[in-house]
Amino acid sequence: MSDIKSLDDLKSAVGAAAPAAPAAVVRTPVRDSLGRAYATGKRKNAVARVWIKPGSGKVVVNGKEMAVYFARPVLQMILRQPFTVAGVEGQFDVMATVAGGGLSGQAGAVKHGVSKALQLYEPSLRGALKAAGFLTRDSRVVERKKYGKAKARRSFQFSKR
């Protein structure tokens, strides 16, 4: 190693040895042999397995149309959110199987799965989906009931006598 006697010598030595800033991670699309992207979405106790492929915007959940399975308009809106944020409404067909939890949790699980699958199918959509918070798993689940309590935290009514 050469003799370093001043700050200028140190700067030149470090500048020569240090590589350039690391390049940004280049993400490649992840698709199966049928041209689909697969992802698992979770919310509360619901788990959704989601496949997306280019199509007309048809959404099938557990073998039923989205409007039949998720009858409430709010739940249908939750499912459409990733497509609106990414700006690809009506461009992908979704096939999802979902189990566990209630309808609200299942809708959130499918939304999470669709977001992850969209990002895998087209990595350029990742920024918009991440900024909207759709790629983050909402880890909140129902707190368990404790013994000696009426519910998770609620105590029985106190009586002096």
Side-chain angles (χ1 to χ4, degrees):
M1 190 106 208
S2 63
D3 294 280
I4 299 172
K5 295 188 171 105
S6 69
L7 282 175
D8 292 329
D9 293 341
L10 181 63
K11 282 182 193 170
S12 61
V14 170
V25 177
V26 179
R27 297 181 188 277
T28 56
V30 181
R31 300 178 190 146
D32 64 8
S33 59
L34 300 173
R36 304 174 302 183
Y38 168 79
T40 307
K42 295 181 179 182
R43 171 83 171 92
K44 293 187 178 178
N45 281 334
V47 180
R49 299 183 304 155
V50 179
W51 291 266
I52 66 161
K53 64 179 181 182
S56 58
K58 193 172 87 168
V59 179
V60 177
V61 181
N62 287 356
K64 298 178 182 175
E65 287 291 323
M66 173 182 65
V68 176
Y69 194 84
F70 294 114
R72 280 184 270 168
V74 172
L75 301 179
Q76 294 175 27
M77 180 200 72
I78 287 172
L79 255 66
R80 282 192 288 270
Q81 280 179 333
F83 297 110
T84 12
V85 166
V88 291
E89 295 121 314
Q91 294 179 25
F92 289 96
D93 286 346
V94 177
M95 207 286 277
T97 56
V98 62
L103 281 178
S104 176
Q106 289 185 351
V110 174
K111 169 183 157 181
H112 185 224
V114 165
S115 303
K116 284 169 64 176
L118 271 174
Q119 171 247 307
L120 287 172
Y121 190 90
E122 188 55 60
S124 62
L125 303 176
R126 181 177 169 82
L129 292 167
K130 187 144 179 75
F134 293 164
L135 298 178
T136 307
R137 200 280 205 215
D138 188 352
S139 59
R140 296 175 297 170
V141 291
V142 177
E143 191 175 346
R144 77 173 196 88
K145 184 197 175 301
K146 280 75 168 189
Y147 58 86
K149 296 279 187 177
K151 294 180 3 183
R153 298 184 179 202
R154 166 113 169 75
S155 296
F156 296 108
Q157 184 171 346
F158 176 75
S159 170
K160 201 168 193 175
R161 290 180 189 80

